[in-house]
Amino acid sequence: MFEQALVSVENLAFVSALRNSTLMYPVVNAGHILGVSLLVGGIVPLDLRLIGFWRTYPVMVFVDVLRITAAVGLALAVICGALLFATAAPDYARSPLFQAKIALVLLGVLNALTLGRVMTRRDIRSLPMESPMPLDLRAGGLLSLVVWISVLILGRLLGYF
Ligand code: HEM
């Protein structure tokens, strides 16, 4: 039943056109990579600031700007990733690497939402400038770093296995 649904997705007219297009497939792939770049390029400095780097710069400069660029990047990566997935849906769905990647994307999103709530609850805007972040924020930042870099590596490995 699920397998059948995936085969139907793969056989949709616009998905078949995308799979066979020598122009559109690379464009969507580039869109995915642009999304990944914005996401990882924003999340890495933000997480490092939470962990304890660059403490002479206000944390909110990182949070206010980089979480927007990271969220836009994630949205782009998810949209273009879903299109890439559709072109070979049953094969990707069967791949343990792909399953692990999606599970980690969900964990990363959950962690980011939790971090956002903890930042609000702890009112980090009012923390003294150079003080270290509370332990839960440092741990969340470290988890975020590990999760998103793992997603990136799994995504790249998918092309080889
Ligand atoms: C729900 C979200 C996502 C879906 C459905 C998805 C799906 C895909 C698919 C189907 C591919 C093509 C794999 C192949 O070469 O056969 C791919 C490639 C890739 N993905 Fe994702 N992806 C998602 C999110 C992400 C995120 C958040 C990251 C990074 C943090 C990421 C990193 C990559 C990388 C680095 C590649 C390899 C690109 C290349 O070498 O051309 N993906 N993704």
Side-chain angles (χ1 to χ4, degrees):
M1 167 95 170
F2 184 55
E3 175 83 15
Q4 200 50 51
L6 293 174
V7 172
S8 312
V9 167
E10 191 184 38
N11 290 334
L12 288 171
F14 85 93
V15 174
S16 299
L18 174 62
R19 185 172 44 246
N20 297 321
S21 167
T22 46
L23 176 65
M24 281 322 289
Y25 189 91
V27 167
V28 173
N29 203 17
H32 192 58
I33 293 171
L34 177 62
V36 171
S37 315
L38 279 170
L39 168 66
V40 177
I43 219 77
V44 168
L46 174 52
D47 289 342
L48 289 176
R49 177 62 182 83
L50 290 178
I51 291 168
F53 286 75
W54 307 303
R55 270 200 247 152
T56 49
Y57 295 95
V59 68
M60 293 320 291
V61 170
F62 290 76
V63 174
D64 286 344
V65 176
L66 297 179
R67 87 167 152 193
I68 310 269
T69 56
V72 170
L74 177 63
L76 190 59
V78 169
I79 293 166
C80 294
L83 287 170
L84 297 176
F85 168 81
T87 61
D91 293 341
Y92 284 126
R94 264 192 302 270
S95 155
L97 281 180
F98 184 79
Q99 293 164 6
K101 175 177 161 175
I102 296 304
L104 284 179
V105 169
L106 294 176
L107 176 62
V109 170
L110 200 69
N111 184 50
L113 295 174
T114 307
L115 273 173
R117 272 200 298 274
V118 176
M119 283 183 208
T120 310
R121 198 179 65 229
R122 291 193 171 278
D123 192 15
I124 60 168
R125 278 174 205 276
S126 60
L127 287 178
M129 177 90 158
E130 293 198 26
S131 68
M133 288 291 117
L135 184 62
D136 47 7
L137 287 178
R138 277 185 281 153
L142 183 61
L143 178 64
S144 167
L145 206 56
V146 171
V147 165
W148 291 118
I149 290 175
S150 304
V151 172
L152 186 145
I153 293 169
L154 286 174
R156 194 66 192 94
L157 284 179
L158 263 173
Y160 294 92
F161 294 98

